[in-house]
Amino acid sequence: MQKSLRGLEHFFWLYLLLNPILDIVNGLYIWMLTRGYAGMDAVNYRELTNGGGLTTTPALLVRMAVLLVMVVYILMLRDKRSILTAIPMGVAWVMSVLSEFLWVGGVNLSLDVTFFARFAYNVAVILVYRNVFMRSELDKEQLIHKIHAYVNGMTIVFSLGILIPYVLRVGYSTYYDRFGARGVRGFYYSGNDITGALMILLPLALSYFFFIPREKFTKGRIFFYGMGPAMSIICLMLIGTKTALIAMVG
């Protein structure tokens, strides 16, 4: 049992870096699927999902599979706090579906399941990583160093999803105005999502870079911790929206 739990926890650490790649793959999938659709590079995603033939994406399928793994992990741990958190969520979902049936007269069960699974996934991430961090064999300082290393790694992966398409002149534009396509967001379909991710991770990566013990770190390691914030700032400037620029200055 303990060996299986440790194996799952190693997977969850790896998944922190794989998760940003899922967003890149998802955006690339939609971009390739919608090129030439209605003569536009970036189309309204809802036009495809509502009768356009696109009901699932690679990222959604992978994250739902990971959600099942998270549920198995919580059950194996017998974490009462997480289980007691999940029960009212399930009850609320059942009541929501029941109210649709009684007052609306019909239920789109597949859509309801998808929306609930997405919400449950976000809650499960909090519950699972709380346990992963608490069960870590690292002391407090070592755990903080490891978390910041992953934060910095995620900023690099997120940034590459914008910088590489920008160099190759492919991907989505942030917005259009009378001067044409302005700003870039690489293969991230949602500009707000990637902006939000960078504006959350950037202060963490930047503050750690300022306060790392330089007498203990090699020059290469210091360079690594500087790459993430630097690349994130460049990407926020390339995104070019008011939110991105405010986040960068803030």
Side-chain angles (χ1 to χ4, degrees), residues 27-72:
L28 178 59
Y29 170 77
I30 298 172
W31 182 77
M32 294 180 65
L33 193 66
T34 58
R35 287 191 67 186
Y37 182 89
M40 299 172 62
D41 286 336
V43 300
N44 190 333
Y45 187 39
R46 292 182 180 86
E47 291 180 16
L48 292 177
T49 54
N50 296 335
L54 182 62
T55 56
T56 58
T57 60
L60 178 62
L61 294 176
V62 172
R63 283 176 174 140
M64 293 305 98
V66 172
L67 175 60
L68 293 178
V69 176
M70 290 178 174
V71 171
V72 171

Side-chain angles (χ1 to χ4, degrees), residues 20 40 42 46 57 72 77 106 122 125 133 159 161 178 198 203 218 228 242:
M40 299 172 62
R46 292 182 180 86
T57 60
V72 171
L77 276 180
N122 292 322
V125 166
F133 294 160
S159 299
R178 58 184 175 179
L198 289 177
T218 63
K242 293 188 291 291

Side-chain angles (χ1 to χ4, degrees), residues 148-150 152-153 156 209 219-229:
H148 277 92
Y150 274 81
N152 196 67
I156 293 174
F209 174 73
K219 290 183 178 180
R221 195 172 178 186
I222 293 175
F223 178 76
F224 166 74
Y225 282 108
M227 278 183 61

Side-chain angles (χ1 to χ4, degrees), residues 86-108:
I87 290 175
M89 288 169 51
V91 172
W93 177 73
V94 171
M95 293 175 63
S96 175
V97 173
L98 182 61
S99 66
E100 283 185 69
F101 179 77
L102 293 176
W103 286 286
V104 179
V107 177
N108 189 336

Side-chain angles (χ1 to χ4, degrees), residues 121-138:
Y121 171 84
N122 292 322
V123 176
V125 166
I126 298 173
L127 299 176
V128 165
Y129 280 98
R130 168 185 168 272
N131 281 289
V132 171
F133 294 160
M134 288 181 63
R135 285 172 47 84
S136 173
E137 297 177 350
L138 306 173

Side-chain angles (χ1 to χ4, degrees), residues 109-159:
L109 192 58
S110 62
L111 190 62
D112 287 331
V113 170
T114 300
F115 278 125
F116 176 74
R118 287 174 174 171
F119 173 75
Y121 171 84
N122 292 322
V123 176
V125 166
I126 298 173
L127 299 176
V128 165
Y129 280 98
R130 168 185 168 272
N131 281 289
V132 171
F133 294 160
M134 288 181 63
R135 285 172 47 84
S136 173
E137 297 177 350
L138 306 173
D139 60 35
K140 181 179 179 180
E141 185 175 350
Q142 290 173 328
L143 180 60
I144 290 174
H145 285 315
K146 185 170 184 176
I147 291 174
H148 277 92
Y150 274 81
V151 166
N152 196 67
M154 285 189 287
T155 60
I156 293 174
V157 174
F158 274 128
S159 299

